Amino acid sequence: MFPVRAEGHRRAAPLPGRAAPLLAGAAAALVLLTGCQGDADASPAPTSGPPSSSAVTTTAEASTPASVSAAPEPSPASSAGPATNIPVPAKPALADENSAEGLEAFTEYWLELFSYGYETNDWAPFDEVTDPRCGTCSTVSSAVRNVYESGGWVSGGDSRVMSFVSDFQINTQGSIGSYVEVVQGESRIYSASGNVVEETPEGTAKFKATFSAYLDGRWVMLDFGAPEGTE
């Protein structure tokens, strides 16, 4: 229903959250790194029973946790270094619904995970909801991994979904095709020394064809790319 042309290393294909621009430059051996995140300790449970004269707890003391560690602040990538403490995008409940609205929510979430992968080189969340046979997906994520493994990092390039259209009809392959209009922001690739290796300005809106399947109570992205016959 929506033939997809293999994209390979193309600048004009704004893949989910920074895919396209990096494809053009990440094919060469560049360099990048990854981030982490933390969480706070749980507060102690309150005690019961009347207070005694020898042990009176003030309101301020009772409301203060014994040990609290503040979650580190997210830090975006810049010439000073790669991004750190970037939280994994949260999946909205609607993204697991077997409906046209659920598919749209899932597609937006999938693009967020792709952006997260670019910024952190953590592809585990993305891989969990992506079929490993998605050629374009593997090509882009591998290119990004190569950049990070070389010692460099990426900044910017977040994608924005402008529109989503799907007839929500299962085709003979058992998947559902959709069209997504995506705009990708400005991005930079840095070398291990912090120099800009490649800079790509914000692109214009591009339509992408997607194929997704609802399996075991959740959506999985099967393929993503430029519709056949488009640039």
Side-chain angles (χ1 to χ4, degrees):
M1 180 167 53
F2 297 134
V4 178
R5 174 170 53 76
E7 297 199 60
H9 300 279
R10 297 177 57 253
R11 176 182 297 273
L15 286 178
R18 297 178 231 162
L22 201 53
L23 258 182
L30 302 182
V31 245
L32 306 196
L33 203 114
T34 183
C36 59
Q37 54 188 97
D39 47 29
D41 297 334
S43 301
T47 58
S48 59
S52 66
S53 58
S54 60
V56 178
T57 303
T58 65
T59 302
E61 292 172 334
S63 61
T64 303
S67 176
V68 175
S69 58
E73 288 291 325
S75 177
S78 68
S79 60
T84 57
N85 308 317
I86 305 300
V88 179
K91 178 192 280 190
L94 183 59
D96 281 331
E97 183 178 290
N98 188 8
S99 65
E101 293 76 14
L103 178 56
E104 180 176 2
F106 165 75
T107 303
E108 293 176 349
Y109 168 66
W110 185 81
L111 288 168
E112 291 177 0
L113 292 180
F114 217 145
S115 296
Y116 171 78
Y118 265 95
E119 193 166 22
T120 66
N121 199 34
D122 176 11
W123 293 96
F126 176 80
D127 291 341
E128 287 181 3
V129 293
T130 305
D131 189 288
R133 292 168 294 182
C134 176
T136 299
C137 308
S138 298
T139 297
V140 176
S141 61
S142 294
V144 176
R145 287 186 178 100
N146 290 338
V147 171
Y148 279 86
E149 288 170 2
S150 300
W153 58 92
V154 182
S155 71
D158 294 320
S159 293
R160 302 188 303 276
V161 176
M162 308 303 292
S163 65
F164 176 90
V165 178
S166 176
D167 58 11
F168 204 68
Q169 296 296 316
I170 298 177
N171 58 32
T172 56
Q173 311 266 307
S175 62
I176 295 178
S178 308
Y179 280 123
V180 185
E181 186 181 17
V182 182
V183 170
Q184 187 171 21
E186 180 184 62
S187 65
R188 292 184 179 87
I189 299 175
Y190 293 92
S191 68
S193 59
N195 295 320
V196 177
V197 175
E198 181 176 335
E199 184 172 4
T200 304
E202 179 170 327
T204 58
K206 299 286 185 180
F207 276 101
K208 301 297 173 183
T210 71
F211 290 94
S212 308
Y214 195 74
L215 305 170
D216 299 325
R218 68 188 184 113
W219 290 102
V220 175
M221 183 65 70
L222 304 181
D223 203 2
F224 178 95
E228 188 67 36
T230 66
E231 294 189 20

